[in-house]
Amino acid sequence: MGGAARLSAPRVLVLWAALGAAVHIGPAPDPEDWWSYKENLQGNFVPGPPFWGLVNAAWSLCAVGKRQSPVDVELKRVLYDPFLPPLRLSTGGEKLRGTLYNTGRHVSFLPAPRPVVNVSGGPLLYSHRLSELRLLFGARDGAGSEHQINHQGFSAEVQLIHFNQELYGNLSAASRGPNGLAILSLFVNVAGNSNSFLSRLLNRDTITRISYKNDAYFLQDLSLELLFPESFGFITYQGSLSTPPCSETVTWILVDRALNITSLQADFLRDVTRTIHIHSQFPTVLLRQMHSLRLLSQNPPSQIFQSLSGNGRPLQPLAHRALRGNRDPRHPERRCRGPNYRLHVDGAPHGR
């Protein structure tokens, strides 16, 4: 695991044959949309990760870049940096609001223009503005995160994508310039309890409103600070976007304490249990399979259902890049204590 895919000559020929066939199928798709995590959608070839760098010259870094993401973080390679300051979140004291959106590739939360949400501190030299919250997840528990820790994946990964608002006017411009982007990643496990912020996003009344591609639902009164653990450390490295154009302008910050979500929402489980009690012919094994996220479709309702799960890029080589952390990996038994291991919200350490 961890190596970037190498293309043999036969695979390249197959690709160009598929591209030639696509020309005769219908109008050319928008190049920005012409990529996928899976190479076959509705019977048509759509370039998957091994081909991203070949189908669009602007995406060449996906194939030849040397600082690509995601990576497998081996803790023995993490350099302890005691001078990394704590992470700071600024919301202006206001609740977050915005649109939850099924993009056909991810579950995305797009914040409204106000309030402006900024992150700073840690390895960041500038203030970065939140542009998107993105959720990636797998078809089975323990596999779904893009990044791994010591060769171990997680069921999901929440990515908070920010752009450098001090140097650039928007995400697009920042993705093309140095020190342009910052992405905070939080890992997610399936457990008996659930993170309160994710519960708001993933409860049954909300998640069923974005069942199909392009479905959207407006949310408000969200407290973003509740997404973060009460105390945590982080690991940082220099990498890239994990989607085309794979720009190598990203400072990644990986929170080292995982969040939890439940396998099934409690109210949904109760309703299904009642149905099964009334109609006893339904096997109880259904309960273990009905994860609300995995029921989201990457297609519109007019097309065959294909689960949104499995929406992550394969691991890329870390090579000689440095991994830095604000916690000493030589002493994992030491708990994160003190203000350096808390999220500072509008200037003060956040505690719950």
Side-chain angles (χ1 to χ4, degrees):
M1 304 192 61
R6 303 298 182 201
L7 296 178
S8 63
R11 281 199 89 182
V12 173
L13 292 175
V14 169
L15 167 65
W16 292 118
L19 297 185
V23 171
H24 302 288
I25 291 174
D30 184 339
E32 294 301 314
D33 294 332
W34 205 47
W35 64 270
S36 174
Y37 294 109
K38 308 172 182 74
E39 292 175 9
N40 190 296
L41 296 177
Q42 298 298 311
N44 295 324
F45 178 85
V46 179
F51 299 118
W52 290 351
L54 299 178
V55 297
N56 188 333
W59 300 350
S60 61
L61 281 174
C62 300
V64 302
K66 303 301 182 184
R67 295 189 301 162
Q68 290 292 291
S69 298
V71 300
D72 177 32
V73 174
E74 295 185 70
L75 293 180
K76 66 182 181 181
R77 296 187 58 177
V78 176
L79 302 174
Y80 172 50
D81 186 346
F83 299 104
L84 283 170
L87 293 174
R88 298 179 174 87
L89 180 72
S90 174
T91 64
E94 297 183 52
K95 298 286 188 179
L96 189 63
R97 58 183 180 272
T99 302
L100 193 66
Y101 181 41
N102 180 340
T103 70
R105 298 189 183 107
H106 311 104
V107 173
S108 292
F109 177 79
L110 305 176
R114 293 288 183 272
V116 174
V117 177
N118 299 324
V119 66
S120 58
L124 303 177
L125 302 177
Y126 302 90
S127 176
H128 288 65
R129 178 173 177 173
L130 179 65
S131 178
E132 179 186 356
L133 181 152
R134 182 178 293 172
L135 181 60
L136 306 97
F137 54 94
R140 58 184 178 85
D141 296 347
S145 62
E146 286 197 309
H147 288 84
Q148 294 186 7
I149 305 293
N150 281 345
H151 316 298
Q152 178 64 51
F154 298 83
S155 297
E157 183 173 336
V158 178
Q159 297 177 353
L160 300 169
I161 302 170
H162 307 75
F163 70 91
N164 186 334
Q165 64 175 1
E166 296 186 48
L167 298 183
Y168 306 99
N170 54 55
L171 182 74
S172 178
S175 69
R176 298 189 295 269
N179 296 307
L181 304 176
I183 303 181
L184 271 66
S185 273
L186 298 103
F187 301 114
V188 181
N189 284 323
V190 172
N193 59 346
S194 183
N195 173 271
S196 57
F197 182 89
L198 292 179
S199 291
R200 281 289 313 276
L201 262 62
L202 304 179
N203 71 70
R204 182 171 58 122
D205 290 338
T206 299
I207 204 69
T208 54
R209 296 175 186 266
I210 60 163
S211 296
Y212 300 99
K213 180 180 179 180
N214 296 328
D215 285 352
Y217 183 62
F218 186 77
L219 291 170
Q220 54 188 346
D221 295 326
L222 297 170
S223 298
L224 185 60
E225 62 270 19
L226 297 180
L227 177 64
F228 290 82
E230 183 175 354
S231 62
F232 59 90
F234 60 80
I235 298 164
T236 181
Y237 78 97
Q238 296 301 310
S240 74
L241 290 171
S242 58
T243 59
C246 305
S247 307
E248 295 181 335
T249 60
V250 180
T251 298
W252 283 89
I253 303 172
L254 313 178
V255 172
D256 67 2
R257 183 175 176 184
L259 310 174
N260 289 335
I261 59 173
T262 56
S263 179
L264 285 166
Q265 293 295 327
D267 57 345
F268 187 41
L269 179 60
R270 183 179 60 248
D271 292 347
V272 173
T273 303
R274 184 182 301 116
T275 301
I276 291 174
H277 178 72
I278 296 172
H279 304 283
S280 58
Q281 69 270 25
F282 293 137
T284 57
V285 72
L286 285 176
L287 294 178
R288 295 193 297 269
Q289 300 173 342
M290 300 183 69
H291 191 295
S292 56
L293 279 173
R294 292 165 185 155
L295 291 177
L296 300 180
S297 177
Q298 63 184 21
N299 297 320
S302 60
Q303 297 180 4
I304 296 173
F305 172 84
Q306 288 181 296
S307 176
L308 202 62
S309 59
N311 53 355
R313 187 188 189 191
L315 292 171
Q316 305 297 304
L318 180 64
H320 300 293
R321 281 177 284 173
L323 297 166
R324 290 189 296 151
N326 70 337
R327 198 157 60 129
D328 193 342
R330 296 170 297 180
H331 302 285
E333 73 282 356
R334 294 181 183 173
R335 297 188 62 188
C336 300
R337 299 182 184 277
N340 278 354
Y341 300 104
R342 291 180 181 270
L343 180 71
H344 287 232
V345 181
D346 291 318
H350 176 67
R352 297 186 294 279

